[in-house]
């Protein structure tokens, strides 16, 4: 297993958001922060998005595992979020899907508590955050 930081991308999106939109947000965000796509270990989201075609297609394209967490698991991360969305809470029961999911999966994969390397990035139909652990 490779050593070094474990980078996890958390994603949220509206229903029907195409993989191309998610990929564009991911590519732009990584480029802006000087991170190679090959450094990303996994994708994470909320279980409500487990069957979302765009997310599944993106995970397949990138050959990365997609792990989904339930709202209860994600809500425990609300104190660590850079942004709390009331709309997200009303719809899902957690205040931020992308950041919470990234932190949850990075915490699971790493030996140290995860931190947000890139806080929530947003387009009209998608959100993305990047968490890191070691």
């Amino acid at each position: 297993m490779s050593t070094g930081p474990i980078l996890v991308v958390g994603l949220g999106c509206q229903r029907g958001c195409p993989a191309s939109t998610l990929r564009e947000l991911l590519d732009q965000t990584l480029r802006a922060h000087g991170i190679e796509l090959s450094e990303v270990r996994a994708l994470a989201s909320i279980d409500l998005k487990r069957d979302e075609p765009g997310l599944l297609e993106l995970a397949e394209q990138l050959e990365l595992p997609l792990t989904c967490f339930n709202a209860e698991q994600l809500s425990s991360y609300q104190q660590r979020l850079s942004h709390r969305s009331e709309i997200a809470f009303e719809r899902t029961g957690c205040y931020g899907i992308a950041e919470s999911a990234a932190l949850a999966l990075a915490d699971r994969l790493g030996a140290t508590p995860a931190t947000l390397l890139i806080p929530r990035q947003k387009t009209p139909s998608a959100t993305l955050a990047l968490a890191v652990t070691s």
Side-chain angles (χ1 to χ4, degrees):
M1 177 140 177
S2 65
T3 56
I6 297 169
L7 299 181
V8 175
V9 171
L11 294 160
C13 64
Q14 291 180 350
R15 286 264 166 239
C17 178
S20 57
T21 299
L22 294 164
R23 179 66 188 262
E24 196 175 314
L25 177 59
L26 177 62
D27 289 345
Q28 283 175 351
T29 302
L30 294 178
R31 214 173 19 254
H33 291 83
I35 297 166
E36 294 294 322
L37 184 57
S38 60
E39 295 176 67
V40 175
R41 270 311 161 85
L43 306 176
S45 192
I46 191 167
D47 60 1
L48 298 171
K49 300 293 178 189
R50 180 171 280 130
D51 301 322
E52 187 61 41
L55 274 178
L56 296 173
E57 189 183 324
L58 181 69
E60 199 175 295
Q61 278 177 14
L62 301 176
E63 297 180 357
L64 288 172
L66 172 64
T67 302
C68 294
F69 296 91
N70 65 38
E72 192 178 338
Q73 290 169 304
L74 296 182
S75 65
S76 66
Y77 287 88
Q78 71 179 21
Q79 299 309 319
R80 291 163 65 181
L81 303 182
S82 73
H83 172 89
R84 292 199 223 346
S85 166
E86 291 296 333
I87 294 169
F89 185 77
E90 284 169 25
R91 291 186 183 158
T92 66
C94 73
Y95 283 101
I97 292 164
E99 289 187 352
S100 301
L103 288 166
L105 185 54
D107 271 352
R108 182 184 286 181
L109 297 175
T112 59
T115 55
L116 282 174
L117 186 63
I118 302 173
R120 183 180 83 133
Q121 306 294 303
K122 190 171 176 1
T123 70
S125 59
T127 56
L128 175 149
L130 187 71
V132 61
T133 183
S134 52

